[in-house]
Amino acid sequence: MSTRSLSKGCFVFKPSPKKRKVSRTTAYYFREGSSDLEDSELRFATCQSLQKQVKSETEQIEEELNEQLFDNLVSFLRRSHSAFQEKKTEWTCRTKSREIPTAALVLGVNVTDHDFTFRSLSEVLQNNVTPYIALLEAKDCPGIKNLMQKLLGQLMNCCIDVDSSEEEDYEHVSRSRVRCSMTTLINWYESATKRTDSETPGKKRTSSRHWQSPPVVVIFKDMESFTTKVLQDFVVISSQHIGEFPLVLIFGIATSPMIIHSLLPHSVSSLLCIELFQSLSCKDHLSTIIDKILLTTQFPLKLSEKVLQVLINIFLYHDFSVQNFIKGFQLCIVEHFHSNPLSVLCCQLEEAKRRVNSLSHNQCENVRRLPSFRRYVESQVSEKQIALLTVDSSLKEAVQKLLEDLNVYHENYFPILRCLHVFTSSLPKYPLGKQIRELHCACLENRVWETEEYESSLQLARMLNKSDLVTMLQKCVEILVSSPGREFDEIVEKLKEFLTQFQKLEEAYQERDESISPQKELQKKTNLYHLQKTLLELKESRRSKKLTKFEMLRFEVVDYIDSLVRHYLVPADHKTLHEIVYFNTASVLREHLNAAPRIALHTALNNPYSYLKSEALKSDGGSISNKAPDICIAYKLHLECGRLINLADWLEAFSTVVTAAEGPTADAASSDQVDDVIHARFIRAVSELELLGFIKPSKQKTDHVARLTWGGC
Amino acid sequence: MPILEHPAYPPATLLCLESLVPCRESQVSMLLSIFGERQQLSFPSIFIYGHTSSGKTYVMKTLLNTLQQLPHVFVNCVECFTSRLLLEEILIQLQNHSSETRRASPVPCDTFNDFVRLFKQALVSQNLQDQTVLDRAEQLREMEANILPAFLRLQELTDRNVTVILLSEIVWEMFRPNTGCFEPFILYFPDYSIGHLQKILSQNHPPEYSADFYSAYINILLGVFYMVCRDLKELQHLAALNFSKYCEPVVRKEAKERDTRKLWKNIEPHLKKAMQTVYLREISSSQWERLQCEEGELGQIKGLSAHAHVELPYYSKFLLIAAYLASYNPVRTDKRFFLKHHGKIKKTNFMKKHEKTSNHLLGPKPFPLDRLLAILYSIVDNRVAPTANIFSQITSLVTLQLLSVVGNNDQLDGPRYKCTVSLDFIRAIARTVNFDIIKYLYDFL
């Protein structure tokens, strides 16, 4: 349901019963599972709006990032067939063989993100270039026949979408069995383009955004997975007809463009005219996302150092997927609003202040329980302490003020962080990290100025040369001027003052150079003895004076930056009420995003108490309780076996464990004759284990099964 | 004096044909004498083979088109990838040239039996000759078993005067079905010699320049490219691409058309560069042309191979390294490489005879998933939890074609993999994570 329109208007959406039910259940579940029911509806609404905001923001960022690539591609498409249309008669065009224009689009290994890119690519092409786009996936095209079917189906359907008036005309074509050959495609293309040409002027509007003879774009989404034969056949077939209709191929490549050469032999690749296009690397992509989403005051929710580390680690170590990173962030939002009753205050400042006023008594108690608030209370004078702890209204007042403080802290934090990053990112060996996200993590973790890395980077900063220092200061001024913080006027003044001092120094140098040069000439005329003497004197003076004016100034600048850092980059968890806006339960996030199925299965079977929570199962570890489910008993017993397990022995052990409790009461006869019920239970447990993939029947030995898993979960 | 002579055709047409098919006169005259006159019965099937671009398709097309008395059907078998498509395509073309005005809707034709029936209907007259040419006939072998033998006997089956001509790049022996079939008349098109190539290429000179000038250019071009490429089409393409560069000194009036040496000096390095780039399709021909126009340096556009670097997530790199080690090291040596206290084992002591040949020459060996994970755990410094992400990374390495699954894909039965990347690739990967892979490879001990 979209409400996109050029004019303002009222849109009526008939409520579909199914949809409403779904949305109600989300809200319901949100309330259901939360530990504290305070303000859950409000929290849910805030959460939803924040989610929406994040989604639209990320989509916009991604669009901007892809813009350059798409522009290049569009101009390539424009170029690809125009040359032949313009100068058909020229000698070179007649003699040289006609190749299929092909764009090799290298997108990086994060295959999960490609879908999004291709969707927006086809949207862009559809809007500006051509309605004839086919997206092919390897799993749909095991043979050339399937490929042609898919291709024709997509192309002919898209034609129906463009102008629905002639739908009936095509209906019967698509219904009857179409001959899936290139000839059909060419005939279709001719009729389709002719039709758009001869359209009534009123309808021309739709086709005018496309080009005169729009190319047919075939996109192979995952080049690597296509079989060689299918690709070869398709290229050979279409090269036969390239003169008859403008075809352009786009290969989506995840690894490297070398794959083209390894998939296609020279005889086939010589039919292609391949140009390379590279998308932004996913690491840069992530940096932009972090920069624009996390390092701003735009969104009230912030991530703590551990949470951010989990998300970044999953990205760098496992998948390189920016989409997953954003999804992780969204999960953080839901989890925060879901689990923290005070998250109701996690919104823009004005709104938060209003909400503080309507807090219930329970919520006030929640505030009082916050560790950071407790620390705050302890630091107050005793009357104030009593007021804060007993009177709700004074608490609300204090909370409002503290929230304001927190807001100011954030407004100052990010610009200063960027300034510090300007300095640290140009130091050799990057002691505080190359990326701003590393610096951010370091600052959140603890007092950054107490770390060794900070110390060494200051040392290095004290050795910077002048031109670097000046450009850095200029950059800092730019950052601070463009940021909305209130307290920066003073800092900017100070930095500008440094800059002018540098300027003056330079002038002074030039003057001194001029004054020195005649002196030097004098020296040249004197004899060697005098020269030696003067040099010695110079050396002496340098040793005693040690610092030039520039060095003094440099120290001053570095000290000033240091003071800024100490003042503004205090870790967030030293701030009162940080729990409201910071999400910091990293363990929950790790559990959800980096699931360990094997470990979970092992715990479930080895220690059933952890999931079933039945008191009877609470065991002290080593021994096998007979109260446990059968499969757990069987599992524990099989852990003690080698590669091949004797079923008879296993059954024996099983029955011993199961009957252990009734041991003394049971009669001796049952010991050598296993009970039928126990036998059946054992068989069931074993087949369950087989289903879970722990064992499999073996043909090496009769009555044995083979173990498939080994320790080290 | 004309080489081609045939009583059925006027000498002017034959002369024209001769000029169109240089260096293939003997084959053409052979074909003409097989076809005979139009009312005469021709040989049922002819098999023509020869190397890539030895003019099979071109000669057949020009031959049948120039001598307008020969009605024919020309079908490319790669394009018609199923037998149904192939048969229907032949019927459609037949209908089209038997009746120009009426464009009949395609008749469904699923079996060869139907085909024979419909073929008879389409060709009403019994006596006049008709040719059916099947290009890229090697594809016929992959269709139903009856297609190829039936085509060879089409004359007999349809009782019409029809000749089936098969064109292929491989020899007849590779076609002959086990059950035996009608032996076609076999005709070989030999490769063009360098002289032939020179003659053919020079024939098509641009109108602005004289034939001699162009022929000198072709001579230089062949001098560079003949060693690597004898494909006529490719040479023609290259000639067209680089000709403007050759003409440059003449256009700028720095050299005359006869100044061959100067022109040669100008073009030779350029052609050599072309051999390394355009010919290998490292950069596309349109990029090459743009470079020529802008006089830019070649360094500006990197070839496809320059982008060999693949960026992978941290654990994917280690998974790939582990897979490589598992593929190229014998299982017994794992203990020596990955156990802390393996003791001193000399290579000579535990080397078996058959392992003396390099594992890298034998190619990657399959390994089970457990071994991959075990090696992974021991080469990564910190502890790796066997999370779902690790397992999904293995799968995504398979989709990226860096690993490949071997054997049946029964998930319960411990899947087996092979590592498909090259040593250079894995060394580049290992360098980014500071892992000295050479130390862990059995072949390099």
Side-chain angles (χ1 to χ4, degrees):
Chain A
M1 282 200 274
S2 78
T3 52
R4 241 191 257 166
S5 161
L6 282 176
S7 58
K8 268 190 185 175
C10 201
F11 297 91
V12 178
F13 294 120
K14 282 185 184 167
S16 62
K18 200 176 154 204
K19 212 155 205 181
R20 220 167 58 191
K21 203 172 157 197
V22 168
S23 69
R24 198 199 289 144
T25 46
T26 2
Y28 172 75
Y29 279 125
F30 190 84
R31 217 167 25 222
E32 175 85 335
S34 61
S35 50
D36 211 319
L37 284 178
E38 293 297 330
D39 299 318
S40 65
E41 255 146 65
L42 195 54
R43 263 152 58 199
F44 180 64
T46 325
C47 173
Q48 291 280 30
S49 77
L50 190 59
Q51 289 264 25
K52 221 173 275 169
Q53 219 180 325
V54 168
K55 196 165 172 250
S56 69
E57 184 75 12
T58 48
E59 271 168 17
Q60 203 189 331
I61 292 170
E62 245 145 81
E63 238 165 66
E64 281 164 21
L65 286 176
N66 282 329
E67 208 180 356
Q68 173 79 39
L69 176 72
F70 290 168
D71 281 353
N72 287 346
L73 265 176
V74 168
S75 68
F76 165 75
L77 290 179
R78 199 180 301 259
R79 223 166 35 222
S80 56
H81 281 285
S82 61
F84 275 98
Q85 275 150 13
E86 278 164 18
K87 36 182 185 178
K88 245 176 193 152
T89 47
E90 231 172 79
W91 172 80
T92 40
C93 282
R94 268 187 294 119
T95 36
K96 90 182 162 195
S97 48
R98 224 169 141 183
E99 297 165 316
I100 309 172
T102 307
L105 193 57
V106 182
L107 291 168
V109 295
N110 45 336
V111 185
T112 40
D113 290 2
H114 293 180
D115 253 356
F116 185 84
T117 319
F118 281 121
R119 222 179 315 133
S120 41
L121 173 66
S122 65
E123 221 167 82
V124 167
L125 294 183
Q126 209 124 45
N127 289 335
N128 305 319
V129 184
T130 169
Y132 312 125
I133 298 169
L135 277 160
L136 297 177
E137 258 178 295
K139 66 167 190 274
D140 298 331
C141 312
I144 179 78
K145 196 173 158 191
N146 312 67
L147 189 143
M148 292 301 284
Q149 263 168 0
K150 205 87 197 160
L151 182 68
L152 286 177
Q154 284 193 21
L155 286 176
M156 290 183 172
N157 273 334
C158 86
C159 182
I160 292 171
D161 287 344
V162 165
D163 34 18
S164 50
S165 66
E166 249 131 321
E167 204 168 318
E168 311 85 51
D169 220 41
Y170 266 81
E171 203 86 323
H172 76 271
V173 178
S174 51
R175 267 193 206 141
S176 68
R177 282 204 300 169
V178 184
R179 292 184 71 244
C180 289
S181 69
M182 226 36 168
T183 358
T184 324
L185 191 63
I186 291 161
N187 290 338
W188 162 81
Y189 180 78
E190 268 169 14
S191 64
T193 42
K194 215 176 277 166
R195 214 145 37 77
T196 41
D197 283 347
S198 61
E199 263 172 4
T200 50
K203 286 194 72 188
K204 204 129 206 175
R205 207 155 42 96
T206 48
S207 58
S208 61
R209 62 203 166 116
H210 300 135
W211 297 340
Q212 206 59 58
S213 53
V216 176
V217 180
V218 180
I219 303 176
F220 293 86
K221 274 178 158 181
D222 40 354
M223 176 86 173
E224 280 89 354
S225 312
F226 276 92
T227 50
T228 324
K229 175 134 185 15
V230 171
L231 272 180
Q232 277 183 33
D233 281 354
F234 181 73
V235 171
V236 169
I237 292 172
S238 41
S239 76
Q240 303 268 335
H241 296 285
I242 186 66
E244 291 158 63
F245 78 118
L247 176 78
V248 180
L249 306 181
I250 296 181
F251 291 153
I253 296 173
T255 48
S256 79
M258 297 275 279
I259 195 86
I260 297 177
H261 289 314
S262 58
L263 275 179
L264 302 175
H266 182 249
S267 63
V268 177
S269 68
S270 64
L271 300 171
L272 301 174
C273 173
I274 307 163
E275 271 187 51
L276 193 66
F277 296 88
Q278 250 175 328
S279 73
L280 201 64
S281 96
C282 45
K283 281 183 185 168
D284 296 345
H285 199 150
L286 180 79
S287 303
T288 326
I289 291 278
I290 289 183
D291 202 49
K292 295 254 172 77
I293 301 272
L294 296 181
L295 299 182
T296 58
T297 49
Q298 196 181 1
F299 300 109
L301 182 86
K302 306 279 184 300
L303 299 182
S304 74
E305 185 262 339
K306 283 211 181 90
V307 172
L308 188 58
Q309 208 71 60
V310 168
L311 287 180
I312 290 175
N313 280 355
I314 288 177
F315 178 86
L316 289 179
Y317 285 178
H318 292 297
D319 57 7
F320 267 179
S321 164
V322 178
Q323 297 295 325
N324 278 356
F325 183 85
I326 294 166
K327 288 219 179 86
F329 180 53
Q330 285 175 335
L331 179 69
C332 292
I333 296 174
V334 174
E335 193 62 43
H336 183 67
F337 282 96
H338 178 75
S339 60
N340 190 347
L342 285 173
S343 62
V344 71
L345 298 179
C346 180
C347 52
Q348 297 303 331
L349 184 62
E350 285 73 36
E351 178 68 24
K353 276 183 174 172
R354 234 161 10 85
R355 287 185 187 176
V356 168
N357 283 329
S358 53
L359 282 185
S360 64
H361 176 69
N362 269 346
Q363 285 282 51
C364 292
E365 284 301 312
N366 279 335
V367 173
R368 285 178 189 128
R369 257 178 249 133
L370 291 179
S372 70
F373 189 73
R374 276 205 185 131
R375 277 203 301 273
Y376 169 74
V377 170
E378 277 157 24
S379 68
Q380 302 296 316
V381 286
S382 57
E383 299 94 70
K384 190 91 185 281
Q385 279 185 4
I386 293 165
L388 282 175
L389 291 178
T390 52
V391 188
D392 280 357
S393 61
S394 64
L395 172 94
K396 282 174 185 172
E397 223 166 84
V399 167
Q400 280 183 344
K401 203 187 144 297
L402 288 170
L403 281 177
E404 207 168 312
D405 282 352
L406 202 59
N407 198 44
V408 170
Y409 160 74
H410 281 134
E411 271 177 9
N412 296 333
Y413 176 86
F414 293 115
I416 298 291
L417 183 75
R418 280 171 212 276
C419 289
L420 181 60
H421 179 243
V422 167
F423 274 87
T424 55
S425 62
S426 56
L427 298 175
K429 283 192 183 169
Y430 312 106
L432 275 170
K434 201 173 175 182
Q435 304 278 352
I436 193 165
R437 57 165 187 261
E438 294 164 271
L439 190 65
H440 180 55
C441 283
C443 291
L444 282 179
E445 198 182 3
N446 44 33
R447 292 193 179 97
V448 71
W449 56 88
E450 286 170 1
T451 58
E452 267 177 46
E453 291 86 10
Y454 183 77
E455 210 39 59
S456 66
S457 50
L458 275 195
Q459 291 278 335
L460 288 168
R462 289 199 182 101
M463 286 184 267
L464 285 170
N465 63 18
K466 199 182 73 191
S467 62
D468 281 356
L469 210 55
V470 169
T471 48
M472 277 176 210
L473 284 176
Q474 276 162 349
K475 265 191 212 159
C476 289
V477 169
E478 268 168 41
I479 290 167
L480 293 178
V481 166
S482 63
S483 64
R486 286 163 234 169
E487 301 171 18
F488 294 142
D489 293 346
E490 211 176 298
I491 302 170
V492 170
E493 274 308 303
K494 184 83 182 158
L495 290 179
K496 278 185 178 163
E497 198 187 308
F498 281 131
L499 280 173
T500 48
Q501 278 178 354
F502 275 119
Q503 194 75 36
K504 270 183 200 157
L505 263 185
E506 203 164 324
E507 281 158 20
Y509 262 125
Q510 278 165 3
E511 276 167 29
R512 212 171 56 191
D513 271 355
E514 279 159 22
S515 61
I516 282 174
S517 48
Q519 226 178 355
K520 268 192 178 159
E521 247 157 285
L522 275 179
Q523 280 173 351
K524 268 188 183 165
K525 280 170 189 165
T526 55
N527 60 16
L528 202 66
Y529 172 73
H530 272 123
L531 183 67
Q532 207 171 11
K533 209 169 144 189
T534 42
L535 278 177
L536 272 176
E537 267 167 21
L538 265 175
K539 220 178 187 178
E540 278 296 293
S541 69
R542 200 168 286 164
R543 200 173 287 161
S544 60
K545 213 173 105 194
K546 221 175 185 178
L547 295 179
T548 63
K549 250 187 188 164
F550 166 67
E551 281 165 333
M552 296 277 280
L553 195 55
R554 190 164 59 182
F555 272 120
E556 225 172 286
V557 170
V558 173
D559 285 345
Y560 184 67
I561 296 289
D562 185 34
S563 73
L564 284 181
V565 168
R566 280 165 199 268
H567 189 248
Y568 290 108
L569 296 188
V570 183
D573 47 4
H574 289 241
K575 286 282 166 188
T576 315
L577 295 187
H578 69 90
E579 290 94 338
I580 290 177
V581 294
Y582 277 85
F583 176 70
N584 53 9
T585 37
S587 56
V588 176
L589 198 66
R590 201 176 295 129
E591 226 167 74
H592 285 305
L593 294 183
N594 206 358
R598 227 167 134 170
I599 293 176
L601 205 54
H602 179 77
T603 359
L605 294 174
N606 202 33
N607 182 17
Y609 174 74
S610 62
Y611 287 102
L612 295 177
K613 304 284 181 211
S614 156
E615 283 306 315
L617 297 173
K618 217 171 183 179
S619 69
D620 48 335
S623 68
I624 307 172
S625 155
N626 65 336
K627 302 257 181 2
D630 294 341
I631 186 172
C632 298
I633 299 170
Y635 177 78
K636 275 200 173 178
L637 289 171
H638 112 289
L639 284 182
E640 294 160 11
C641 300
R643 211 183 75 78
L644 286 175
I645 306 170
N646 188 336
L647 276 172
D649 293 350
W650 198 3
L651 172 61
E652 193 120 321
F654 183 79
S655 86
T656 318
V657 172
V658 169
T659 52
E662 313 86 84
T665 53
D667 51 310
S670 68
S671 60
D672 52 280
Q673 187 68 48
V674 177
D675 188 4
D676 277 351
V677 177
I678 291 177
H679 199 162
R681 279 166 65 186
F682 172 72
I683 289 171
R684 197 168 95 177
V686 169
S687 52
E688 275 169 354
L689 280 181
E690 190 182 338
L691 187 71
L692 288 174
F694 286 103
I695 53 170
K696 67 164 185 178
S698 154
K699 278 173 192 158
Q700 288 176 15
K701 248 177 173 180
T702 48
D703 298 338
H704 278 69
V705 288
R707 228 183 122 174
L708 289 171
T709 56
W710 300 97
C713 283
Chain B
M1 95 158 247
I3 303 166
L4 298 178
E5 277 177 7
H6 199 275
Y9 305 104
T13 330
L14 288 176
L15 216 61
C16 169
L17 178 66
E18 199 184 314
S19 70
L20 283 174
V21 286
C23 316
R24 281 283 175 258
E25 290 87 0
S26 67
Q27 281 85 6
V28 169
S29 76
M30 169 77 92
L31 279 172
L32 280 179
S33 48
I34 293 173
F35 292 158
E37 285 175 40
R38 194 145 185 233
Q39 64 279 5
Q40 292 167 349
L41 207 59
S42 164
F43 204 77
S45 48
I46 303 170
F47 180 83
I48 299 175
Y49 73 103
H51 206 264
T52 320
S53 75
S54 50
K56 304 176 293 290
T57 313
Y58 174 74
V59 165
M60 282 319 294
K61 266 193 180 154
T62 35
L63 176 66
L64 295 173
N65 283 331
T66 338
L67 308 177
Q68 271 144 21
Q69 293 160 327
L70 293 174
H72 63 276
V73 170
F74 206 100
V75 183
N76 188 332
C77 291
V78 181
E79 206 182 320
C80 305
F81 36 84
T82 62
S83 59
R84 182 168 160 254
L85 276 179
L86 178 69
L87 300 178
E88 283 179 1
E89 180 69 36
I90 295 173
L91 288 176
I92 289 169
Q93 284 196 26
L94 261 185
Q95 279 171 354
N96 279 352
H97 71 67
S98 65
S99 51
E100 287 292 324
T101 47
R102 177 175 57 92
R103 201 186 167 105
S105 60
V107 233
C109 172
D110 279 319
T111 61
F112 210 88
N113 200 16
D114 289 340
F115 174 72
V116 171
R117 185 170 52 82
L118 293 165
F119 195 90
K120 272 182 178 172
Q121 280 172 14
L123 269 186
V124 193
S125 69
Q126 281 218 4
N127 303 323
L128 293 182
Q129 234 182 63
D130 188 274
Q131 262 81 18
T132 300
V133 183
L134 301 173
D135 200 356
R136 302 287 295 264
E138 54 268 20
Q139 297 286 329
L140 286 178
R141 298 181 300 166
E142 279 155 39
M143 293 179 188
E144 287 88 338
N146 68 335
I147 296 284
L148 179 63
F151 265 119
L152 293 171
R153 280 179 186 276
L154 195 62
Q155 197 177 68
E156 192 183 322
L157 292 170
T158 56
D159 200 20
R160 297 284 183 275
N161 188 1
V162 59
T163 306
V164 177
I165 302 165
L166 304 173
L167 306 181
S168 173
E169 286 177 13
I170 51 180
V171 292
W172 170 247
E173 278 67 32
M174 309 284 285
F175 277 78
R176 198 177 284 139
N178 292 333
T179 47
C181 66
F182 182 84
E183 290 285 317
F185 179 82
I186 295 171
L187 188 61
Y188 174 58
F189 274 41
D191 284 355
Y192 290 117
S193 69
I194 187 163
H196 288 159
L197 287 174
Q198 168 89 34
K199 192 174 162 194
I200 297 166
L201 285 170
S202 322
Q203 206 173 38
N204 184 14
H205 66 89
E208 304 91 295
Y209 296 95
S210 69
D212 282 348
F213 178 65
Y214 191 67
S215 144
Y217 166 64
I218 292 297
N219 200 10
I220 295 170
L221 184 89
L222 281 177
V224 175
F225 280 104
Y226 187 70
M227 290 296 286
V228 290
C229 172
R230 294 172 190 199
D231 188 331
L232 182 62
K233 255 188 234 154
E234 188 71 24
L235 284 170
Q236 210 156 21
H237 182 67
L238 288 166
L241 278 185
N242 297 306
F243 187 60
S244 64
K245 180 87 182 170
Y246 183 70
C247 297
E248 234 169 48
V250 180
V251 173
R252 282 198 307 237
K253 303 264 175 359
E254 285 168 12
K256 280 185 200 139
E257 283 198 16
R258 304 191 140 262
D259 217 348
T260 330
R261 192 174 159 70
K262 201 165 190 180
L263 289 172
W264 178 75
K265 265 203 167 156
N266 174 44
I267 195 71
E268 216 234 349
H270 187 72
L271 287 180
K272 284 212 165 129
K273 218 176 260 174
M275 185 157 74
Q276 286 157 10
T277 53
V278 194
Y279 171 64
L280 294 175
R281 293 302 186 277
E282 283 288 309
I283 66 176
S284 73
S285 19
S286 61
Q287 278 172 329
W288 179 253
E289 277 182 326
R290 249 176 291 145
L291 274 182
Q292 277 181 2
C293 296
E294 290 157 17
E295 291 277 324
E297 268 304 294
L298 262 180
Q300 286 165 359
I301 295 181
K302 281 185 189 162
L304 293 183
S305 318
H307 299 269
H309 176 64
V310 178
E311 223 172 303
L312 287 172
Y314 187 73
Y315 282 140
S316 293
K317 285 178 187 168
F318 274 108
L319 274 170
L320 201 59
I321 291 170
Y324 192 85
L325 293 175
S327 265
Y328 286 99
N329 281 347
V331 184
R332 290 174 312 108
T333 59
D334 281 357
K335 207 172 155 195
R336 183 219 177 280
F337 286 123
F338 304 114
L339 234 55
K340 279 236 171 72
H341 308 288
H342 55 77
K344 287 262 179 200
I345 311 172
K346 287 260 171 60
K347 188 183 180 181
T348 43
N349 288 353
F350 72 150
M351 193 163 61
K352 281 186 186 160
K353 240 184 193 164
H354 64 272
E355 278 169 4
K356 270 182 186 159
T357 46
S358 157
N359 286 309
H360 279 85
L361 288 179
L362 295 171
K365 292 188 188 64
F367 53 85
L369 177 67
D370 285 339
R371 188 168 164 228
L372 173 71
L373 289 177
I375 296 179
L376 174 77
Y377 295 147
S378 67
I379 59 174
V380 180
D381 289 336
N382 41 0
R383 225 180 135 260
V384 194
T387 58
N389 274 329
I390 294 279
F391 292 107
S392 73
Q393 264 168 287
I394 297 174
T395 326
S396 58
L397 285 177
V398 172
T399 53
L400 294 179
Q401 303 268 300
L402 300 173
L403 298 183
S404 66
V405 184
V406 182
N408 58 342
N409 36 10
D410 178 11
Q411 287 304 309
L412 285 184
D413 199 10
R416 292 160 74 78
Y417 301 93
K418 247 185 198 182
C419 183
T420 55
V421 300
S422 64
L423 180 64
D424 287 337
F425 185 91
I426 204 72
R427 281 178 77 171
I429 291 277
R431 209 173 302 129
T432 58
V433 289
N434 290 326
F435 181 81
D436 188 7
I437 192 162
I438 295 299
K439 256 178 28 193
Y440 285 87
L441 278 171
Y442 180 67
D443 282 350
F444 297 100
L445 272 188

